[in-house]
Amino acid sequence: MTMSLDQFREALKRADLRGPLGLQLSDVDAELVAHDPASSQSWYAYWLSLQPAAAQPTPPPPAAASVSPEPAAGVPAAASGFDATPPPFSPAPQRAQTPTTPYPGAPTAQYPGAPTSSYPGEPAQDAHPTASYAPTAVPAGGDPGSPLRGTAQYAGMPAMDGAGAKKRNVGLWVTLSILGALLLIIAIVVVTAFTTARHWTKVDVPEQPETFHSEEYETGRYDVSMDTVNPCYVNQDWTDCTNLLQASYDANCAGVELTETATAICADYSNAISQMRAQDSEGAYVATLGTYGNLTRTPEIDTRQVSNDDYRPAETHEAVCYLGFLGECE
């Protein structure tokens, strides 16, 4: 039976087709080999070596991007440009040597006519294929116990160890510590500023005092003065003269508030009128004029200070000074 490499890979995926191939692979290992180009090519070459010579086609060249299997222990490293994929096998005498199996389920039994490597200067080794898996992470749903489980390491990526992660963690903690210390200092300064803040009243516009001006005004009282012109005349009826004096008194002294001087003048004038009425008799007349004259009344005038209504209170606001220099400080 002859099949191509692609047909070989498809056969590995199916248990009913994998049995006739004579390969002792579990379902999980067969699936991994089928999906790994280097491993499937190596196992394909191994399967071809089990077939009769007439039925063996020329194996396809190895994939350029595949990961070559590790050489067996004791084999020198290949020279620059040498493909580490097992070369075309050449018949060699059977040797009783147990091949190295890198994962469970790989064939270990010797087989007649197994090819061995025959490179110049290189010790012969068992040509039993080894599954060289490209290191990948365990796929979703994969078997946690699979031998392929491990740290994923891709080409060109340096191996990650705990030192780098620890160094990053230390740097992160230092940064967080510095930030925490700064926040703590800021909080202390803010609390201190508010607890020690000084409140005071700041004058924005000074007070404008009230000003006054002088003015004259009537007090409501009256002054009374008496001139030297007597209202009576000689040979006038006594009663008529008395009535003239009474009329002058009533017009100027009665019914109003008088000043002290006016009160004295009006009182004397009233006494004179009373004396004349006591001396009145039938046919009496004025023989001589006395010293009483006509009365005159005028309002009392005084001077007072009147406000100009120009007082303006000071304009202020409550100011706050923090730490002696922040805010509004004197």
Side-chain angles (χ1 to χ4, degrees):
M1 180 178 65
T2 304
M3 63 176 63
S4 65
L5 177 60
D6 293 337
Q7 293 174 338
F8 178 77
R9 290 174 177 169
E10 293 298 325
L12 289 177
K13 300 177 182 179
R14 297 176 52 182
D16 56 338
L17 298 180
R18 187 171 63 253
L21 296 179
L23 302 177
Q24 300 299 322
L25 290 173
S26 65
D27 292 341
V28 175
D29 292 337
E31 188 72 20
L32 294 175
V33 171
H35 287 84
D36 183 62
S39 298
S40 59
Q41 184 176 350
S42 177
W43 277 91
Y44 180 63
Y46 167 66
W47 175 77
L48 289 177
S49 68
L50 300 179
Q51 308 305 313
Q56 294 182 5
T58 304
S66 61
V67 181
S68 55
E70 297 180 359
V75 179
S80 173
F82 176 74
D83 189 355
T85 307
F89 302 121
S90 60
Q94 180 177 355
R95 296 182 296 108
Q97 180 178 353
T98 302
T100 302
T101 59
Y103 61 91
T108 57
Q110 292 288 342
Y111 52 90
T116 59
S117 61
S118 58
Y119 303 111
E122 188 175 77
Q125 61 177 353
D126 193 350
H128 184 81
T130 60
S132 175
Y133 300 127
T136 57
V138 176
D143 182 12
S146 172
L148 298 180
R149 185 169 180 259
T151 303
Q153 182 175 341
Y154 301 94
M157 180 183 290
M160 297 297 295
D161 54 11
K166 183 177 180 181
K167 184 176 181 180
R168 287 195 300 271
N169 290 338
V170 171
L172 177 61
W173 279 112
V174 170
T175 303
L176 292 178
S177 299
I178 295 175
L179 291 177
L182 291 177
L183 292 176
L184 179 60
I185 293 174
I186 293 174
I188 293 175
V189 171
V190 170
V191 172
T192 303
F194 276 94
T195 54
T196 60
R198 186 176 66 85
H199 298 262
W200 59 288
T201 301
K202 182 178 181 180
V203 178
D204 300 317
V205 179
E207 177 186 17
Q208 178 178 333
E210 182 180 15
T211 59
F212 299 87
H213 66 277
S214 299
E215 68 176 12
E216 294 182 346
Y217 71 100
E218 295 182 0
T219 64
R221 300 191 306 173
Y222 291 89
D223 285 325
V224 177
S225 60
M226 185 178 62
D227 59 20
T228 59
V229 179
N230 196 294
C232 300
Y233 56 90
V234 177
N235 297 323
Q236 183 183 14
D237 184 74
W238 188 267
T239 302
D240 293 339
C241 181
T242 304
N243 291 335
L244 289 175
L245 293 176
Q246 183 67 46
S248 181
Y249 175 86
D250 293 338
N252 295 280
C253 297
V256 293
E257 183 180 0
L258 302 175
T259 63
E260 290 77 6
T261 303
T263 301
I265 293 175
C266 289
D268 183 56
Y269 207 86
S270 178
N271 291 333
I273 294 173
S274 298
Q275 290 176 8
M276 289 181 65
R277 290 189 184 280
Q279 296 174 3
D280 191 10
S281 63
E282 185 69 26
Y285 59 91
V286 177
T288 58
L289 298 177
T291 58
Y292 291 91
N294 293 304
L295 297 176
T296 304
R297 183 177 72 183
T298 57
E300 180 186 32
I301 303 300
D302 199 0
T303 303
R304 63 184 175 185
Q305 298 295 315
V306 180
S307 173
N308 293 320
D309 295 328
D310 56 353
Y311 172 77
R312 296 292 182 272
E315 296 181 11
T316 63
H317 72 276
E318 293 298 319
V320 183
C321 179
Y322 300 100
L323 302 177
F325 64 93
L326 294 178
E328 296 181 277
C329 302
E330 290 181 320

